[in-house]
Amino acid sequence: MARSQEFGELRRRYLTFAVTATIVFMIWYIAYVICNNWARDFMNIKVAGHINVALIFGLLQFVSTFLIAFLYARHSRKSLDPLADQLHEKYENERTEANR
């Protein structure tokens, strides 16, 4: 099954999303760390009251994490689950026939 074209397609769809999301998140996270270390004047800009750019960027890290989780769930439901279900059904049918 692992050598089938369908399984290869399932892996390709998963890896396309996972690698892209990981790269985008890591760039965003590293930019946040770099700004906190070397762009302190920018990060210390007050936005409202005691809220500064650094706090907003820090909170956006959590938002981006939940956004990625939401987008992955949607991607999985639309692109991965239908193909995985087909593969599972095919596997179960072949296993049932082999046991007869």
Side-chain angles (χ1 to χ4, degrees):
M1 177 184 272
R3 293 185 184 125
S4 71
Q5 184 177 356
E6 295 91 351
F7 187 77
E9 177 63 18
L10 180 63
R11 282 195 63 184
R12 186 195 64 76
R13 289 181 189 182
Y14 168 75
L15 287 173
T16 299
F17 182 90
V19 170
T20 303
T22 300
I23 290 170
V24 169
F25 181 80
M26 291 305 296
I27 289 170
W28 161 237
Y29 178 73
I30 290 169
Y32 170 67
V33 171
I34 288 170
C35 287
N36 269 329
N37 285 314
W38 292 288
R40 291 184 181 220
D41 291 338
F42 170 69
M43 297 301 267
N44 284 329
I45 295 173
K46 300 283 185 193
V47 176
H50 294 293
I51 299 173
N52 62 13
V53 173
L55 179 62
I56 292 172
F57 275 26
L59 293 174
L60 286 174
Q61 291 292 317
F62 291 102
V63 172
S64 63
T65 300
F66 288 111
L67 177 64
I68 289 169
F70 169 77
L71 292 174
Y72 176 74
R74 188 175 72 176
H75 172 71
S76 179
R77 188 172 49 253
K78 289 181 179 180
S79 294
L80 303 178
D81 291 349
L83 186 53
D85 290 343
Q86 288 175 357
L87 282 169
H88 179 73
E89 185 176 321
K90 181 180 175 182
Y91 170 76
E92 288 298 323
N93 288 341
E94 288 175 6
R95 195 175 95 180
T96 302
E97 289 176 15
N99 288 336
R100 288 183 183 175

